[in-house]
Amino acid sequence: MIQVQGISKSFAGQPVLRDLSFEVPDARITALLGANGAGKTSCLRILCGLLRAESGQVLVGGIDPVRDPQGARRQLGVVGDREGLYERLTVVEYLDIFARMQGLSGAALKSALASVCEELELQKLWRRRMGGFSQGERMKVSLARALVHRPKHLILDEPTRGLDVLAVRLLRRTLLRLRSAGTAILFSSHVMSEVAELSDRVLVMSQGRIVGRGAPDELIAETGSENLEDSFVALAYGERTRVAEEVV
Amino acid sequence: MRGTSSMRGAKGNAKAMLQLKLMLPLLRKEFLEAWRDRRALIMAVSFALLFPAMIAGGSTFMIKKKAEEVTRVAVLGGAQAPLLTEQLDGPGLEVVSLDDGEPRSLLGQGYHLVLVVGDEFDQRYRDFLAPPLYVYVDSSNTSSGRAQRQLQERLGALQQLVVTQRLVARGVATQVLAPWKLEVRDVSTPSARGALLLAMVPGLLILTLFVASLATSVDTSAGERERLSLETLLLQPLPAWQIITAKMLAVASLGWLGALMSITALVLLMPLMPLAELGIQQATTLSGVFSMGLLLLPLALLVAVLQILLALRSQSFKDAQTQLSILQIAPLVLLMALDMAQVSLEGSWQLVPLVSHQQWLKDLLVGEVVSLPAMLAGSAVTLLCVVAAVLLGAKALRRESLLSAA
C-alpha cells in the first residue's frame, strides 16, 4: 500500500500540492485524474522519491522514500511520462541491466526476463536495439522494465498516451493481471473511458488538492453526471472555478 | 559487545559489497552506451590521430623548409670581381653571375638578393679605395632578412680574410687584429632540442582527453536529462555517487584511450619523422609511454567528471556542448599563460593537476626521468579532486531542478 499524508509542495513560491492525502491500496487500481498543471506528475514524483515534499509523509509499503530511498525504490515499478529508453541497447540488454540493478541475478533473473518477455509479447523485439521503436513498442519495453523485479507497487504516468488499440489492450490486460496478483497500482490518465474501465478507485486533483475520490460509479452518482468525464469536469473545473472565485 | 560490533561490521561490509555489485550493471550500461555511439567514437579517434599526424607533418615541413633555406644571389658586374663571386658561393648561398639585368626585376625572378659590383671595382680594389658593393633587397619578402644576414656574414668573413692577407703581406702579425677568437658551441642536448619541437605535445595530449570524451559526457548527462532517461536511472535503488562514478568511468575510458592512441601514434610516427635532421634523437622509451598512460589515467577521470558536472548544470544538450567547448580551451590557455609568464613550476606546482601533468609528459616525451614520489603525490591530489567532484556530482543529481518541468 502507498500512503500519502498531508503532503505539500511548491515551486518558486507557487504551491503545486496543498495538503494532499490519499491511499493506494494493494490489489486495487487507482486512477489519478487532473487537468494539465493540476499537480499529478509532481505528486507521482514525490511518491517515487524524486522530489521532496515540504511537509507531510509518504510511505511506500511502509518505507519512507525520504529516509530510505533505495528501499522504497525496490518496492516500486515506475513508468514515467516518457519512456526513458536507451536507443543503443537491445531490449534484452536493457531489461537485464535494470533487473540486475534491482538486485536480481542467476536463475531468478533468467526467470524474470523470460516472464516479462512472454507477458508483454516482446519476443520479436528481444534482440533489437531500441532506436526507432514505435510508441507502442517503447511503452511495452518501459513497462517490462518497471515490472521485471516484480514490484509490489506500480506507478504509471499517462501510460496509454500515443498507444494504438492493441498496445492499450495489452497494457489493460497486464494491469488487470497485476491487480489480481496483489499489486497496488496508481496511474494518471486523461482518457476517461480507460479510467472508467480499469480503475477501482479514482482520485480527482485540481489546484494541488484532491477534490473527489471514490469508485467511478460513486463519483458519477455524487456529481449527478451521466458519465465519468462529466463527473470529472464537474469536480475538477467546478472546484477550479470555485477557488478562482474565492481568490477574487 | 565485541561480538555485536564485529557482526555489525560484517553486515556493513556485506551491504557495501551488495551496493558495489548493483553498480556493475550500471557500469555495463554506461560503457555499452558510450562505446556504441558512433559519432562520439569518430570524434575521439579522429582527434586522437589527427594531432600526431600534424606533429609528424609539421616536423617534415620544418626540415623541408630548412633544406629550402638557400639564399639565391644574382651578381651583376661579377667580371670585375671574379674571385669575390667565386668565394661567395658555398653552403647556403647560391651565387649566379649575370652579364646584365635590372635588380628590381631580378628580385622578382626568384633571387633573394642582387649584388651589384661597381664598374671600377677592380681598379679601386687594387688602389685600396674601398670600392662600393650594392646589395638590392626586397624587404617585403619574408626571407629577405635571413638572406641579407647570410650574405653580410659571408662578406664579413671574406673581408676579414682579405685584411688578414694584406697585413700578413706587410709583416703585421694577425693576432694584433684579433684580440680574441669567437666560437659558438651548442650545448643543447638532443632531448632538449626535442623538447622544443615536442613542447606542444603535452598540451595536445591533455586536450585529447577533453575532445575525445566531450560527446559522451554531454550525451550521458545533458542528453539523458533531455531524453528523460536520467529520471529512470534515478528511480533505481542506487546511490547518486554510484551513478556519477559509472558515468565518469565510461566517459574517461574514451578520453584516456584517445590519449593512449595519440601517444602510440606519435611514438610509431617518430621513426618516420626527420628528427635526426633537426638534431633530435628519438628519446621516448617504452617505459616512458607506459608511464604517460598511467599518469594520464587520474587526469582522464578528473576531466570526465568535470565535464559531466558542467553538462549537468546546463539548460539543454546544445547549451552543454557550448559550455564544454569553452571548457576545453581553458586548460590550454592556463598552460600557455604559465609558459608565457615563465613561472617556475617547481615545488607545490607539482601538486596542481594539469600543470604537473604537462611537466611530466614533457619530460617523459624526451626521455627524462620524472621523480616517482612527485608523480605519486600529484596523482593522489588529482584523485582527491576526482572524489570531491564525484560528491558534487551526486549532489547535483539530487537537485530537483534537474528533472523536467520540476
Side-chain angles (χ1 to χ4, degrees):
Chain A
M1 180 191 286
I2 299 174
Q3 292 161 291
V4 178
Q5 288 162 359
I7 58 167
S8 298
K9 179 76 184 170
S10 57
F11 293 121
Q14 194 70 29
V16 177
L17 301 178
R18 306 159 198 248
D19 195 23
L20 208 65
S21 298
F22 61 88
E23 283 181 357
V24 181
D26 292 341
R28 291 283 179 275
I29 298 177
T30 306
L32 188 61
L33 301 186
N36 288 335
K40 300 187 301 292
T41 301
S42 299
C43 172
L44 296 182
R45 282 177 171 168
I46 287 175
L47 303 190
C48 304
L50 288 174
L51 295 180
R52 273 190 180 213
E54 282 146 16
S55 60
Q57 193 187 32
V58 172
L59 293 173
V60 178
I63 299 172
D64 185 343
V66 176
R67 288 193 185 154
D68 182 7
Q70 270 101 45
R73 284 167 195 164
R74 277 192 203 98
Q75 303 258 334
L76 273 174
V78 182
V79 178
D81 58 353
R82 289 253 293 268
E83 299 82 18
L85 304 184
Y86 296 100
E87 304 206 332
R88 292 187 283 273
L89 300 186
T90 63
V91 173
V92 61
E93 284 168 348
Y94 179 72
L95 295 178
D96 179 89
I97 285 167
F98 277 88
R100 285 178 193 273
M101 277 196 251
Q102 289 286 352
L104 295 185
S105 62
L109 173 71
K110 270 188 181 175
S111 148
L113 289 176
S115 166
V116 287
C117 177
E118 197 186 325
E119 284 165 14
L120 293 164
E121 299 167 6
L122 289 169
Q123 294 87 345
K124 281 184 184 169
L125 305 174
W126 202 237
R127 298 205 178 273
R128 269 179 58 194
R129 289 197 190 172
M130 293 181 280
F133 271 18
S134 69
Q135 186 64 28
E137 289 168 337
R138 296 175 73 85
M139 176 51 71
K140 273 206 258 183
V141 178
S142 184
L143 189 59
R145 189 249 309 136
L147 297 178
V148 73
H149 60 292
R150 301 184 190 287
K152 288 179 185 163
H153 310 86
L154 183 63
I155 293 177
L156 306 103
D157 197 358
E158 297 185 36
T160 54
R161 192 175 55 182
L163 297 191
D164 60 23
V165 180
L166 287 179
V168 171
R169 279 188 175 189
L170 178 72
L171 177 71
R172 200 184 299 152
R173 218 167 46 230
T174 309
L175 293 186
L176 291 173
R177 187 186 49 74
L178 289 168
R179 179 180 66 178
S180 310
T183 311
I185 301 167
L186 176 65
F187 78 103
S188 74
S189 180
H190 288 292
V191 186
M192 294 302 148
S193 56
E194 201 64 59
V195 174
E197 196 171 335
L198 266 178
S199 51
D200 302 303
R201 292 182 74 247
V202 176
L203 302 166
V204 181
M205 273 185 81
S206 177
Q207 310 266 313
R209 292 193 180 97
I210 300 285
V211 292
R213 67 181 83 204
D217 290 345
E218 288 171 7
L219 288 180
I220 292 168
E222 188 184 312
T223 53
S225 308
E226 286 185 6
N227 53 40
L228 186 64
E229 186 174 313
D230 290 345
S231 171
F232 165 69
V233 170
L235 286 165
Y237 295 93
E239 172 70 6
R240 181 178 285 186
T241 314
R242 193 181 61 72
V243 171
E245 280 168 358
E246 274 177 12
V247 170
V248 172
Chain B
M1 277 293 276
R2 197 174 292 167
T4 317
S5 68
S6 70
M7 265 177 70
R8 266 189 209 149
K11 266 189 182 175
N13 285 343
K15 201 177 170 188
M17 284 304 290
L18 178 70
Q19 275 300 332
L20 282 176
K21 202 179 156 194
L22 295 183
M23 191 184 154
L24 291 178
L26 177 60
L27 257 179
R28 184 175 162 229
K29 174 248 156 198
E30 295 295 347
F31 272 84
L32 283 176
E33 277 268 292
W35 284 87
R36 281 181 184 169
D37 186 352
R38 209 176 295 168
R39 192 174 49 97
L41 281 181
I42 290 172
M43 193 170 162
V45 172
S46 309
F47 190 82
L49 295 181
L50 184 72
F51 101 73
M54 274 170 57
I55 297 279
S59 66
T60 310
F61 175 74
M62 271 171 74
I63 196 72
K64 196 178 164 218
K65 204 169 169 234
K66 200 179 171 192
E68 281 172 355
E69 279 176 6
V70 173
T71 301
R72 295 189 72 218
V73 184
V75 180
L76 290 173
Q80 286 284 323
L83 202 63
L84 176 73
T85 311
E86 195 187 307
Q87 294 282 328
L88 275 179
D89 201 38
L93 271 185
E94 185 189 325
V95 180
V96 179
S97 186
L98 300 171
D99 293 333
D100 56 5
E102 203 275 314
R104 194 180 296 271
S105 68
L106 286 171
L107 286 171
Q109 289 167 26
Y111 290 103
H112 294 100
L113 302 166
V114 177
L115 178 68
V116 178
V117 182
D119 288 341
E120 294 170 353
F121 183 90
D122 190 32
Q123 189 56 50
R124 290 177 71 94
Y125 179 77
R126 286 175 202 282
D127 296 344
F128 304 107
L129 291 174
L133 289 169
Y134 304 98
V135 178
Y136 285 82
V137 59
D138 176 5
S139 60
S140 65
N141 188 330
T142 50
S143 54
S144 66
R146 175 188 50 79
Q148 200 178 333
R149 206 167 46 246
Q150 223 172 343
L151 180 66
Q152 276 174 349
E153 275 173 16
R154 189 68 59 84
L155 281 170
L158 279 175
Q159 200 170 19
Q160 185 68 37
L161 185 70
V162 171
V163 169
T164 307
Q165 283 172 350
R166 282 176 177 175
L167 289 173
V168 168
R170 282 157 183 78
V172 179
T174 50
Q175 292 90 324
V176 176
L177 279 175
W180 58 71
K181 192 180 170 189
L182 181 67
E183 268 185 45
V184 178
R185 287 179 181 172
D186 188 357
V187 294
S188 70
T189 60
S191 64
R193 287 197 292 277
L196 202 64
L197 178 74
L198 302 173
M200 65 183 96
V201 173
L204 286 170
L205 277 176
I206 291 170
L207 186 65
T208 307
L209 292 178
F210 282 87
V211 178
S213 60
L214 180 133
T216 314
S217 56
V218 174
D219 188 72
T220 197
S221 48
E224 278 220 37
R225 185 184 172 194
E226 211 159 273
R227 295 189 296 270
L228 296 192
S229 53
L230 187 62
E231 199 169 312
T232 309
L233 212 53
L234 292 172
L235 285 167
Q236 304 313 308
L238 292 169
W241 70 264
Q242 287 192 354
I243 296 176
I244 287 288
T245 304
K247 287 184 180 298
M248 174 189 73
L249 290 173
V251 172
S253 73
L254 270 169
W256 187 57
L257 286 170
L260 284 187
M261 207 184 280
S262 289
I263 296 170
T264 311
L266 200 65
V267 172
L268 289 176
L269 283 172
M270 271 181 170
L272 305 177
M273 288 153 67
L275 296 179
E277 288 173 60
L278 289 170
I280 302 164
Q281 286 175 356
Q282 180 173 347
T284 312
T285 59
L286 194 65
S287 66
V289 172
F290 186 70
S291 307
M292 276 189 265
L294 271 185
L295 74 86
L296 276 174
L297 193 54
L299 191 61
L301 294 174
L302 184 62
V303 167
V305 72
L306 287 179
Q307 294 199 115
I308 292 170
L309 265 180
L310 197 62
L312 278 176
R313 294 191 65 82
S314 313
Q315 297 301 314
S316 64
F317 191 87
K318 270 193 170 180
D319 184 32
Q321 278 180 322
T322 312
Q323 290 202 32
L324 290 194
S325 303
I326 297 167
L327 176 75
Q328 288 183 346
I329 306 164
L332 281 189
V333 171
L334 169 79
L335 296 175
M336 275 170 67
L338 288 171
D339 233 22
M340 283 167 74
Q342 296 190 325
V343 177
S344 166
L345 302 175
E346 297 298 322
S348 52
W349 279 106
Q350 295 291 311
L351 297 174
V352 180
L354 286 177
V355 178
S356 53
H357 288 89
Q358 191 206 24
Q359 286 298 304
W360 299 330
L361 287 171
K362 221 183 246 183
D363 291 345
L364 289 168
L365 268 169
V366 295
E368 301 269 329
V369 178
V370 179
S371 149
L372 185 65
M375 241 165 71
L376 288 176
S379 299
V381 171
T382 308
L383 286 173
L384 277 177
C385 294
V386 170
V387 172
V390 165
L391 294 177
L392 275 176
K395 202 174 165 194
L397 279 186
R398 287 192 289 266
R399 252 186 18 239
E400 292 188 347
S401 57
L402 202 68
L403 305 173
S404 67

